[in-house]
Amino acid sequence: QVRLVESGGGWVQPGGSLRLSCTTSGFTFSNYVMRWHRQAPGKEREFVAQIGPLGGSRSYGDSVWGRATISRDNVENTVYLQMNNLKPEDTAVYYCNAPSFSDSWGQGTQVTVSS
C-alpha cells in the first residue's frame, strides 16, 4: 500500500544543483519521519538526510554536510532534497524511505555529476 515515487534526478556538472522530490501515498504522511538514502554502483546504501514528521528535526550524513537541505510538504505528501555544489562522488541512485516502513522503497532517481 505504501508508495514512494522519486523524481528530479538527472545529469549535472560539478558545482551544480538539483532538487529531488519524493511523492508518497498509502500512509498518513505527516505522522512519519522521512529519509533520503543513496546508492552508488558497487557501494552500500548510504544515509543522506532525515526530517521529522512536521519538519522540525533535520539531520544529514557527513558526506553531504553543508550541501543538502531536506524539506517536506505535508499537504502534498512530498519530501524534497535540495543538493547544492554537487560533486562527482554524489553520483548515485537516490531513494526516499520512511523508517517505519523499512521494506518500502521507490524506484529511485538517478543523479549523475560529471564534466
Side-chain angles (χ1 to χ4, degrees):
Q1 186 176 356
V2 173
R3 296 180 182 178
L4 308 167
V5 181
E6 299 92 342
S7 63
W11 176 87
V12 65
Q13 293 180 293
S17 298
L18 286 172
R19 192 191 193 206
L20 310 182
S21 298
C22 173
T23 59
T24 75
S25 62
F27 64 104
T28 305
F29 179 76
S30 61
N31 287 347
Y32 292 92
V33 168
M34 294 297 298
R35 290 176 178 168
W36 284 96
H37 295 80
R38 66 188 184 186
Q39 188 165 27
K43 301 183 69 175
E44 295 183 352
R45 196 185 307 273
E46 178 187 24
F47 170 77
V48 175
Q50 177 176 290
I51 188 167
L54 302 181
S57 181
R58 306 179 186 190
S59 60
Y60 301 92
D62 290 342
S63 61
V64 299
W65 183 38
R67 302 186 297 116
T69 302
I70 189 171
S71 61
R72 67 192 295 160
D73 185 332
N74 285 351
V75 175
E76 299 296 327
N77 297 331
T78 300
V79 61
Y80 304 95
L81 183 70
Q82 176 72 40
M83 292 283 292
N84 300 324
N85 192 23
L86 284 159
K87 306 175 184 296
E89 51 263 43
D90 294 319
T91 296
V93 179
Y94 285 70
Y95 302 89
C96 64
N97 176 254
S100 295
F101 308 109
S102 60
D103 293 331
S104 297
W105 300 88
Q107 82 289 347
T109 186
Q110 175 72 51
V111 171
T112 302
V113 185
S114 70
S115 299

